[in-house]
Amino acid sequence: PQDYLKHILFPLGNLLKTEVRAKAKELGLSTANKPDSMGICFIGEVDVNKLLKDRLGEKEGDVVYKGVIVGRHNGLWFYTTGERKGFELDKNVLKKMGLHPEKMAPMYVIGKDKEMNQLIVGSREETMTGEIRIEKSEMRNDKELWVRIRNLGELVPVEKIEGNKVILEEKIFGIAEGQSAVFYDNE
């Protein structure tokens, strides 16, 4: 809530990452030269697929393209929107659909049907969206805003916010359920 946020102090807020690393080095902190994390930050370096398999196991299901079963997957939890690896496609089924698997553009995860245990795949274009839904927000729609979906993602201008729906000025690739949306203003 805004009444909590207005009291938060971010001591690194005015420093660049290079300045923070220099200060950490000056203080003799072991993290001064640690590379940026690209994994699960609170777990550390880990093989995510192995972690998921160990914790959740596997649950095979169908891969569906344009309403047709075209392959198999090992469990919906292994895949995220925009992913294009890890599921199997049956080239014979694709050929029967009039497609040429060897010439096809890659297929991407565009959705999941949890009830049917189906992984829905499609083109890269089908992963693009200009609208996101947010669960919780204390945002006001009275300023110019940008949103970033991934920590290294680009800042995308927000056209408007209508309740929990955010309309973007341009489309973003592969937004997945559960991702954070971080908003920025001119400050």
Side-chain angles (χ1 to χ4, degrees), residues 59-81 87-88 108-122:
K59 183 179 179 186
E60 280 196 13
D62 296 323
V63 174
V64 177
Y65 174 65
K66 296 191 183 291
V68 178
I69 296 171
V70 295
R72 303 290 293 161
H73 68 80
N74 294 326
L76 293 178
W77 43 85
F78 291 109
Y79 310 95
T80 188
T81 303
F87 50 87
E88 295 176 30
Y108 295 82
V109 173
I110 62 170
K112 300 176 186 181
D113 183 332
K114 294 173 187 168
E115 222 173 88
M116 299 292 292
N117 190 30
Q118 293 179 331
L119 190 67
I120 316 301
V121 297

Side-chain angles (χ1 to χ4, degrees), residues 128-132 141 143-149 154-161 165-173 175 183-184 186:
M128 304 295 286
T129 185
E131 179 179 306
I132 59 176
N141 206 10
K143 338 177 145 183
E144 193 171 7
L145 297 173
W146 291 264
V147 66
R148 176 173 283 148
I149 302 299
E154 63 182 285
L155 283 171
V156 176
V158 172
E159 186 176 306
K160 63 183 172 181
I161 299 174
K165 183 168 64 171
V166 180
I167 311 293
L168 307 172
E169 288 186 15
E170 53 194 69
K171 291 184 175 185
I172 298 179
F173 170 76
I175 297 176
F183 292 87
Y184 298 83
N186 286 326

Side-chain angles (χ1 to χ4, degrees), residues 15-176:
L15 300 176
L16 298 173
K17 187 184 288 190
T18 53
E19 296 170 312
V20 173
R21 288 194 182 278
K23 186 69 173 174
K25 192 171 189 172
E26 178 186 313
L27 295 171
L29 300 177
S30 62
T31 55
N33 296 313
K34 184 178 177 186
D36 291 346
S37 170
M38 295 300 286
I40 303 172
C41 59
F42 53 88
I43 294 179
E45 292 301 316
V46 66
D47 179 338
V48 176
N49 279 341
K50 183 180 179 329
L51 175 74
L52 290 171
K53 187 175 180 179
D54 290 347
R55 299 271 172 113
L56 302 175
E58 292 183 333
K59 183 179 179 186
E60 280 196 13
D62 296 323
V63 174
V64 177
Y65 174 65
K66 296 191 183 291
V68 178
I69 296 171
V70 295
R72 303 290 293 161
H73 68 80
N74 294 326
L76 293 178
W77 43 85
F78 291 109
Y79 310 95
T80 188
T81 303
E83 194 162 356
R84 63 180 204 180
K85 296 178 182 170
F87 50 87
E88 295 176 30
L89 297 174
D90 185 327
K91 292 180 182 181
N92 292 324
V93 173
L94 294 172
K95 286 178 184 176
K96 286 180 185 173
M97 293 176 71
L99 302 171
H100 303 283
E102 60 282 345
K103 296 179 185 177
M104 283 176 56
M107 288 197 182
Y108 295 82
V109 173
I110 62 170
K112 300 176 186 181
D113 183 332
K114 294 173 187 168
E115 222 173 88
M116 299 292 292
N117 190 30
Q118 293 179 331
L119 190 67
I120 316 301
V121 297
S123 68
R124 178 177 171 81
E125 181 59 33
E126 290 175 282
T127 70
M128 304 295 286
T129 185
E131 179 179 306
I132 59 176
R133 295 199 182 278
I134 52 178
E135 185 176 313
K136 297 177 184 174
S137 174
E138 295 291 327
M139 299 302 303
R140 296 189 327 259
N141 206 10
D142 60 349
K143 338 177 145 183
E144 193 171 7
L145 297 173
W146 291 264
V147 66
R148 176 173 283 148
I149 302 299
R150 294 169 188 81
N151 81 339
L152 298 176
E154 63 182 285
L155 283 171
V156 176
V158 172
E159 186 176 306
K160 63 183 172 181
I161 299 174
E162 298 172 343
N164 70 342
K165 183 168 64 171
V166 180
I167 311 293
L168 307 172
E169 288 186 15
E170 53 194 69
K171 291 184 175 185
I172 298 179
F173 170 76
I175 297 176

